[in-house]
Amino acid sequence: MTIALVARALAAWTPGLPALGALIVGAALLGRTPPSERFTARVAQAALWLGAIGSLAAAGLFLAGGGEPFEAPLGRWFHSGDYGFELSLRIDALSAASTLLVAVLLLATARFSIAYLHREPGFHRFFLLVLLFGAGMQTLVLAGSYDLLFAGWEIVGLTSVLLVGFFHERTAPVRASTRVLVTYRLTDVGFLFAIVLLHHAAHTTHFGALFDASRSELPVTAAALGLLLAAMGKSAQAPLGGWLPRAMEGPTASSAVFYGGLSVHAGVFLVIRSWPLFEASLPARVALVVVGASTAITSALSAQVSADAKSALAYATISQVALMFVECGLGFPNVAIAHLLVHSLLRYYQFLRTPSVLQDLIERRAALGAAAPDALAGKWEKLAPRTRRLLHRLAVERFELEAALDRWVLRPLLALATALDALERKVERASAAPKHPPEAPRVPHEAHE
Amino acid sequence: MTAALLSVFVLPALAAPWLHASARPRLVRRTSLAIACGVLAWSIVIHAENAIAGASEASLSIGGVALVVGGARSVLASVVALVAVGALAFAPRRSIDGRAASADLLAETGSLLALHARDPALVVAGWAMSAWPLLGGAHHRAATQLARVTIAISIALALAAFAGLPWSWAFALAALARLGVPPFHSFAIAALHRAPPWAAVIAIVSPLPLLALGLEPATPALSNVLLAAGVAGAVYASVVALVQNELRRALAYVHVSVVSSVVASMGSGTGEGIAGALLAGVSATLAIAGLVFVAGVVEARTGTGDMRELGGLHDRLPLAAAAFLLFAFAAVGFPGTLGFVSEDLAMQGLAPSHPALAVVVLVASAVNGITLYRCWKRTFLGPARESTARVGALVTRERITGFAWAFVLVLGGLVPAPLSAIRESLEHTRPPVVDRAESAATAPAQRTTSTRARSK
């Protein structure tokens, strides 16, 4: 019993320990003298190791309980009248596996980054953001309600944006971070809307209570589609996936943990977690399949024409994540879970190795004695030349999705805004004009003669 | 209690003429800041006394002047007082002379008067006084002219109730004008863009919570008007904000958009919506004020507010950059800040009855977040420029005030219980001005079903 209590406490602290680490590093940065790299590294590793112990405790509790899901209530954050924001963690197969994955990848990232970012001016800022990300990601996977999951979701999004713009003295990373933020902010509207709908219908967003309730009482299609929109943004699904290749501007370690390992799979996690809603809504499942299939095809082709290794990996990641969407849409969420876990680990490793990909290629060729045969190239050659040219052009132009968004959404909006702004300034200038215009200067009488 | 209230109201008003006439700038700055801090301290003490006693609102009379104190009003009074302190602490020394200090304290007195008075005439007088920093005419012509016109409209509408207009409607329209909800927003934009930051914040940003308090819709028709005006204003301002190149002008449009969202939430008429709106008013006031203050700090050091000429300030002003980012996320409801709590409540109030409008307000909020991030990015990130290469670090008073500001926003987000008690104080929901005016009217007041539901 005591062990169970201790394990519960440890599990409850899993999201809190990285947050505490972030607080310590942040407080140290506010001092007159910046902390040493050793101090920051030790705080980060300690927080992440303790968090990993909490993840183990959570997984252990789940297994010890015979695989039965359970909830760990943490209290109430705030309330107003009948509405209250409850804090609770949910430990089931999905969250137990996910929290372990998060803990392992964060530990690996911290260890890798200590050497990789040694003497980098943003060393402390990087670890602050990674710790915050860890807190957010653990909150996301362990959350017992949509409310709490959304809080973790937002933290993950913010840290992602700030890490993309890590090298802020350059223009390209800063611009890329804006693109990421725009996508996240607009798609999160769907998440918020779904939460409010569910709360209004069921007076709760707790997964246990919500999914035990009769589905006929819930606005399943509207809520599922709102959640799908948010998942599309986070997991870079078409037509909202243009941000991911640009997000490679950040440090390699953050690219690996965010866009190879964890953050990009958050959308899939949300869909799997919300499976009872999707299961009850055929339109939502159809949307999953359509989005996933179209993204898988377009991204796979875009990966083939990418000029750099990181972009190619990014598109390949999007393609695999899209397949997870298809798996969910076809009614196989358990397959999607397994796919997610394995893919996270593989892609994380690949992203970390990206700077060495050329070296790896040379060593492989040397070991094989020749270039490995490319089966795909053979199939490509069998296509008609016109088809090959068309597919190549579409792939290079990313199927003109971004161009369409730019032409039909962004530019008209900005044109309207500019016109309205011009009108506003005209009104302001008119109100600033003096009531009586200054008199014309008098010309001396002698000048006329 | 009476002596404390008296000092809260009277001291700043008594000090204002002396400060105005004083020719010793250093004494003026220190005295005005001390008085503002004193008012803040007293406001917090009064609120704490009320909270400990478990008292909601109470009526009392001081010198024949009928006032309502306690409950939500004591919280909002603390917010008004905090903004007055921030305005003086963040402002560059050279901008705080006798005239500025007296205007700041007069505006604070006006806001507190409007918040607590029962007499409609005093409320209107308080409105006018709270805009004094803009009406004085010492600033940009556009800001002054537009402020005079809009405040006059606002006062005229408020006084129109005496001529027979339904008080709720007159008050609501007057409040919309005073708050700067489109189409009455031009003066707010001009002021936040061109007037000194301290003046703009005191006159434009600070009155938001106290005006929101009186906006509770008394009829379904008024509710619909507030909803329509709020949603349209939120979208309009968020769109125009996207194309701004001047930092403070962008913040001005974000402010107008956020204010409009608060109005829309009040228009929902539900308990959660109204509580969310009031909390959003508090959160927005603190967040937007903080943003404008930081923008003023940047402008004072670089000599420009044009973001096309800024950039690369992250290394020179790291604390300002961090503060700006924190205030920006508080303004758009990021988890862990007071804005998240208020946005959550507001959506709980608005979405069930008006789901489409709730989506529109959420999209406007998302666009505001994008605008604020772009402002931060263009001001603090990127390669350093010549205008920003030799910028001085924050001074001690700026650091202390910034920390305190951030602390309040984060603490309010992590422990919102004391502020969420605003909802409980709304059991006696009608603003005293409306009650008093409508009790004298011949037609009985109409209550919405949501008000009945809320009083359960």
Side-chain angles (χ1 to χ4, degrees), chain B residues 67-97:
Chain B
L67 301 171
V68 179
V69 298
R73 290 167 207 286
S74 61
V75 176
L76 301 181
S78 303
V79 172
V80 169
L82 180 63
V83 173
V85 170
L88 292 169
F90 267 114
R93 283 183 184 166
R94 61 178 179 275
S95 69
I96 299 296
D97 55 10

Side-chain angles (χ1 to χ4, degrees), chain B residues 30 78 86 104 120 132 137 164 195 206 218 302 305 336 344 362 386 410 430 432:
Chain B
R30 290 184 173 184
S78 303
D104 180 282
W132 186 249
S206 173
T302 60
D344 195 37
L362 284 174
E386 211 172 304
V410 173
R430 304 297 297 281

Side-chain angles (χ1 to χ4, degrees), chain A residues 9 64 91 94 149 275 284 294 298 368:
Chain A
I91 314 295
L94 176 63
L149 197 155
W275 176 243
S294 55
T298 55
L368 290 174

Side-chain angles (χ1 to χ4, degrees), chain B residues 151-176:
Chain B
I151 301 300
I153 292 173
S154 172
I155 292 173
L157 282 168
L159 293 174
F162 294 118
L165 262 186
W167 179 262
S168 299
W169 280 93
F171 185 91
L173 289 172
L176 290 180

Side-chain angles (χ1 to χ4, degrees), chain A residues 45-68:
Chain A
Q45 286 186 301
L48 293 174
W49 270 111
L50 289 171
I53 292 171
S55 297
L56 276 169
L61 278 172
F62 173 70
L63 292 171
E68 285 297 316

Side-chain angles (χ1 to χ4, degrees), chain B residues 227-244:
Chain B
L227 269 171
V231 172
V235 171
Y236 175 85
S238 67
V239 166
V240 181
L242 281 173
V243 296
Q244 301 305 315

